[in-house]
Amino acid sequence: MSTADAWRVLREATQARVGLGRAGDALPTAEILRLDAAHALARDAVHAPLDVEALVTDLRGATGLDVVRVASEAGDRTEYLQRPDLGRRLADGAELTAGEWDLAVVVADGLSARAVQAHAAGLLAALLARLEGWAVAPPVVATQARVALGDDVGSRLGAALVLVLIGERPGMSAPDSLGAYLTWGPRRGRADAERNCVSNVRPPHGLSYERAADVLAALLTESRRRQLSGVGLKDTGEALPPAD
Amino acid sequence: MSWTATVGGHSYRFTDLRDLLAKASPARSGDVLAGCAAGSAAERVAARTALADLPLAHFLDEAVVAYEDDDVTRLIVDTHDADAFAPVRSLTVGGFRDWLLSWEADTAALTALAPGLTPEMVAAVSKTCRVADLVAIAAKTRVVTGFRTTLGLPGRLATRLQPNHPTDDPVGITASIVDGLLHGSGDAVVGINPATDRPSTVRGLLELLDDARQRLDAPIQSCVLTHVTTTLELLEQGAPVDLVFQSVAGTQAANRGFGVTLEQLRDAREAALALGRGTVGNQVTYFETGQGSALSADAHHGVGGPVDQQTLEARAYAVCRAFDPLLVNTVVGFIGPEYLYDGKQILRAGLEDHVCGKLLGVPMGVDVCYTNHAEADADDMDTLLTMLAAAGCSFVICVPGGDDVMLAYQSLSFTDVLGVRAVLGLRPAPEFEAWLASVGLLDDAGRVPPLDPGALPALTTGMGA
């Protein structure tokens, strides 16, 4: 097998940048330029705004539920990047009414509006299909939002659990990766260790909607049964499907 | 106790040790976010001036986080070695900087001093140092550790090969391991950040790494960087665990945010030690840290107000030091621009973390890295890597092409390390270097030649390569 063929086999096994070649003890010019271009695109993805109208339409279509819009206390992208505390707090004026909800769902722009735009509706549709009998509150679209904003939203809605679907930090090879964080008993001040996370939802390269929904549905069911989330809720349960 | 200092005709007052340290700290976004940073450049220099006059012994009398409230403070105070501290007991912070830079402060003196230093002392002295000082002092410190390779020796720069994959796919991970080994990487550890904390998946990855090591017959230690409670559970089930990993921080509350206690770290370390899997040493723990982790968990509060992130980071090394680690690294640019805003802040923080860890006796490495929402780029990483290599850094982290496709950030590429090793005449860990040479991955001049995957048949035959 030739050298080129051998590297092709490895490259097909992963998105990681294997076998880039060498210029002495450095990378060749063509690869340096490819890396620069990927960095430039990821930088631009961080600063692109969420198209809220389009997302609301997609979520309505995917779930058949009404959709509520809220914002964090961070006024714009620059403030959002430097003040995570503001991105965790719900701005005044949010129209959220408490109810008897098993689950609240927050769809948040996070650090990649592109991820949310591409994957949130598809994942949510797959998940709701697995949650028969659950009382799910109208999905909430949140802008300039961090994961912990879900605590404010969940507690205002009176929900037992909150699930936050959020755009993850763009990588050079993954500018559109969605993360999902679930928290039992949402209230301001919950620690990261009290949450469970499924990350890299990004078909076709990352997790598929179906696979992510299987894991999330099992985690949500276990969380509700045991009335906890986080480190105490390892995804060990027999209820979980086997890994791919 | 409070202090005052005058700069430019204006007198500035600092209310307590915590306030003095915070205001003296070099400018960074996280301290502004926490509300403890100096309000102006002049106030920062005033604080540094007052700090330079402070006797080192004062750090034994005033805590920045209360002893009664915090098990990290108790660990620092209760394990302080007064005899080791004796040679510098009479110095001020500024005098301590001068002593550290003196010819008298050689490797042996610094090694003997380490148990006598507290994190707050080393954080304080670093705040009075320029980056060249941070390099010069670190270059004299030596912390040597071992498991299947020996790390931290003079003239060596090791690497963690980080073959992460977004879905923990075994073939994808193996492809990155092959790429790394062909670049002579992996002498510090082959360490995977798994995409999931699920014990069965973690166990599968541990077995994949152990199987690869045995097929290669290479002196490699491996690690799957999962929560310590998961590792402990897998140890009890008989999984092949070389190293126990945990992220740690500088306050009890921040460690609680990570879901970890000192007791759990002790239990997991003892369980891994009992396996006796090391050959040249038996140091079985690996910790990651980073400035801003306590603040991000709202666990940065001290006596009288917020503690600056660099002081808290140094306190994390006191946690590491208590568990005799093989490896510790700060993930310096990972946490984001709200803590370290740009390339300048990341550069300074990486060098501070490195020297503070080394002075405390911790085998310090650095993940030279940045994220796409920080004002930094690959040029900044080249600069930091070159300075760290000159400073005698134990190890750095490498991923294919510098692009971590699982964690979505940029670390170093394998070639970055080949380049800096060539420029500064540095070599891999000795046991690993001998193995590389024995299988043709190192030439007679000690260089890593460009080879294709067929050079590693033990791993690639099954892949069709």
Side-chain angles (χ1 to χ4, degrees):
Chain A
M1 184 179 288
S2 73
T3 296
D5 287 343
W7 281 115
R8 188 174 44 73
V9 170
L10 260 65
R11 271 194 216 102
E12 283 169 1
T14 180
Q15 274 206 290
R17 294 171 194 262
V18 298
L20 300 188
R22 300 261 295 269
D25 289 316
L27 291 174
T29 306
E31 291 299 342
I32 293 290
L33 290 171
R34 273 189 206 108
L35 288 165
D36 286 349
H39 182 232
L41 291 172
R43 294 278 295 150
D44 290 348
V46 169
H47 296 276
L50 181 67
D51 183 342
V52 175
E53 286 304 319
L55 180 61
V56 166
T57 304
D58 289 351
L59 290 172
R60 277 207 193 105
T63 66
L65 297 168
D66 282 338
V67 177
V68 183
R69 301 167 203 204
V70 303
S72 80
E73 287 185 3
D76 57 29
R77 208 61 179 161
T78 305
E79 188 171 48
Y80 174 80
L81 288 173
Q82 293 178 6
R83 292 290 305 272
D85 53 329
L86 299 181
R88 296 182 189 122
R89 291 204 293 262
L90 196 56
D92 290 340
E95 292 177 11
L96 299 170
T97 313
E100 295 286 311
W101 306 115
D102 296 322
L103 176 66
V105 178
V106 178
V107 181
D109 51 3
L111 284 165
S112 174
R114 192 173 147 191
V116 173
Q117 220 94 49
H119 304 306
L123 174 59
L124 192 53
L127 178 62
L128 293 185
R130 288 162 172 76
L131 297 179
E132 208 176 314
W134 284 58
V136 179
V140 175
V141 170
T143 50
Q144 309 296 4
R146 304 250 172 196
V147 171
L149 188 83
D151 296 342
D152 272 14
V153 173
S155 59
R156 285 276 294 276
L157 287 171
L161 270 159
V162 66
L163 178 70
V164 179
L165 306 181
I166 189 163
E168 294 178 341
R169 184 160 65 193
M172 295 212 299
S173 298
D176 62 341
S177 180
L178 190 73
Y181 293 79
L182 73 95
T183 311
W184 171 263
R187 59 179 156 75
R188 195 174 278 191
R190 283 288 186 203
D192 290 346
E194 295 177 288
R195 310 186 199 284
N196 297 86
C197 173
V198 174
S199 60
N200 285 295
V201 181
R202 192 174 74 94
H205 302 295
L207 277 184
S208 68
Y209 303 149
E210 303 297 314
R211 169 80 186 130
D214 284 343
V215 175
L216 283 171
L219 279 170
L220 287 165
T221 303
E222 272 298 285
S223 177
R224 184 163 71 157
R225 188 177 71 78
R226 295 173 58 190
Q227 308 211 342
L228 58 83
S229 58
V231 173
L233 180 74
K234 286 282 161 59
D235 53 341
T236 50
E238 292 299 313
L240 283 184
D244 287 338
Chain B
M1 186 165 174
S2 71
W3 295 269
T4 57
T6 301
V7 166
H10 190 284
S11 176
Y12 298 89
R13 181 168 176 273
F14 308 100
T15 55
D16 48 37
L17 182 59
R18 173 206 58 78
D19 186 43
L20 183 64
L21 287 167
K23 300 268 169 66
S25 210
R28 59 205 48 181
S29 48
D31 292 336
V32 175
L33 178 64
C36 62
S40 68
E43 185 181 27
R44 181 168 294 115
V45 177
R48 221 168 273 169
T49 306
L51 183 62
D53 285 341
L54 184 68
L56 271 187
H58 181 80
F59 287 89
L60 301 177
D61 297 331
E62 184 176 354
V64 298
V65 182
Y67 182 93
E68 306 75 45
D69 300 342
D70 187 278
D71 62 5
V72 179
T73 301
R74 292 197 289 276
L75 179 68
I76 293 164
V77 172
D78 296 349
T79 61
H80 180 254
D81 183 336
D83 292 337
F85 181 56
V88 297
R89 167 175 287 281
S90 63
L91 299 178
T92 61
V93 171
F96 184 40
R97 173 188 168 276
D98 295 343
W99 182 83
L100 286 170
L101 290 164
S102 74
W103 298 342
E104 177 192 344
D106 59 12
T107 301
L110 293 173
T111 302
L113 179 62
L117 296 178
T118 68
E120 290 84 355
M121 292 176 193
V122 299
V125 78
S126 78
K127 294 175 198 295
T128 67
C129 288
R130 300 223 322 243
V131 292
D133 304 337
L134 301 176
V135 171
I137 295 166
K140 296 195 285 186
T141 62
R142 263 306 128 233
V143 182
V144 178
T145 57
F147 190 76
R148 293 196 189 96
T149 60
T150 306
L151 302 167
L153 293 169
R156 310 274 174 172
L157 173 64
T159 60
R160 167 179 162 196
L161 197 177
Q162 181 170 295
N164 294 345
H165 188 278
T167 57
D168 296 326
D169 176 67
V171 181
I173 285 170
T174 302
S176 290
I177 294 173
V178 169
D179 193 38
L181 292 174
L182 289 175
H183 287 85
S185 181
D187 43 344
V189 64
V190 178
I192 303 171
N193 299 93
T196 167
D197 216 19
R198 179 208 291 260
S200 59
T201 304
V202 173
R203 177 161 192 159
L205 295 175
L206 284 167
E207 286 167 355
L208 179 154
L209 291 172
D210 201 51
D211 179 57
R213 172 182 69 85
Q214 295 190 38
R215 277 193 281 152
L216 293 162
D217 194 21
I220 289 173
Q221 44 267 344
S222 62
C223 188
V224 178
L225 286 77
T226 188
H227 195 271
V228 68
T229 53
T230 303
T231 301
L232 188 54
E233 188 182 324
L234 291 170
L235 273 163
E236 285 161 1
Q237 292 171 15
V241 173
D242 288 343
L243 305 179
V244 170
F245 170 81
Q246 182 57 43
S247 292
V248 296
T251 66
Q252 182 175 349
N255 288 325
R256 188 163 57 233
F258 284 131
V260 66
T261 64
L262 301 182
E263 188 67 16
Q264 285 169 334
L265 295 176
R266 210 165 284 131
D267 291 347
R269 174 175 176 265
E270 279 167 19
L273 264 182
L275 297 184
R277 290 170 62 86
T279 51
V280 299
N282 209 10
Q283 279 153 315
V284 296
T285 59
Y286 175 17
F287 299 104
E288 283 192 332
T289 65
Q291 292 190 27
S293 57
L295 172 57
S296 77
D298 191 31
H300 60 297
H301 305 289
V303 181
V307 183
D308 73 87
Q309 65 185 33
Q310 194 251 332
T311 299
L312 289 176
E313 172 69 6
R315 285 168 54 94
Y317 308 145
V319 175
C320 302
R321 154 167 96 167
F323 302 101
D324 191 24
L326 178 75
L327 303 162
V328 176
N329 67 266
T330 170
V331 193
V332 65
F334 183 77
I335 192 162
E338 59 270 39
Y339 307 95
L340 295 168
Y341 182 67
D342 57 15
K344 181 177 171 67
Q345 294 188 5
I346 292 170
L347 172 74
R348 167 97 201 175
L351 295 168
E352 285 167 350
D353 293 352
H354 177 248
V355 78
C356 286
K358 283 277 174 72
L359 284 173
L360 291 168
V362 167
M364 204 66 197
V366 176
D367 189 357
V368 175
C369 63
Y370 67 109
T371 62
N372 290 312
H373 62 319
E375 293 296 322
D377 61 22
D379 284 345
D380 297 309
M381 301 303 107
D382 292 349
T383 310
L384 177 54
L385 171 62
T386 305
M387 294 194 75
L388 283 168
C393 185
S394 290
F395 71 102
V396 292
I397 292 181
C398 296
V399 299
D403 172 14
D404 189 307
V405 295
M406 202 288 276
L407 292 172
Y409 78 120
Q410 284 88 258
S411 184
L412 298 173
S413 69
F414 303 120
T415 45
D416 290 333
V417 171
L418 294 182
V420 81
R421 277 182 184 157
V423 167
L424 295 174
L426 301 172
R427 296 154 62 190
E431 300 84 358
F432 192 78
E433 182 181 44
W435 174 78
L436 287 173
S438 75
V439 295
L441 299 181
L442 209 63
D443 70 14
D444 293 341
R447 296 175 305 200
V448 176
L451 294 170
D452 73 47
L456 280 173
L459 295 187
T460 55
T461 305
M463 300 172 72

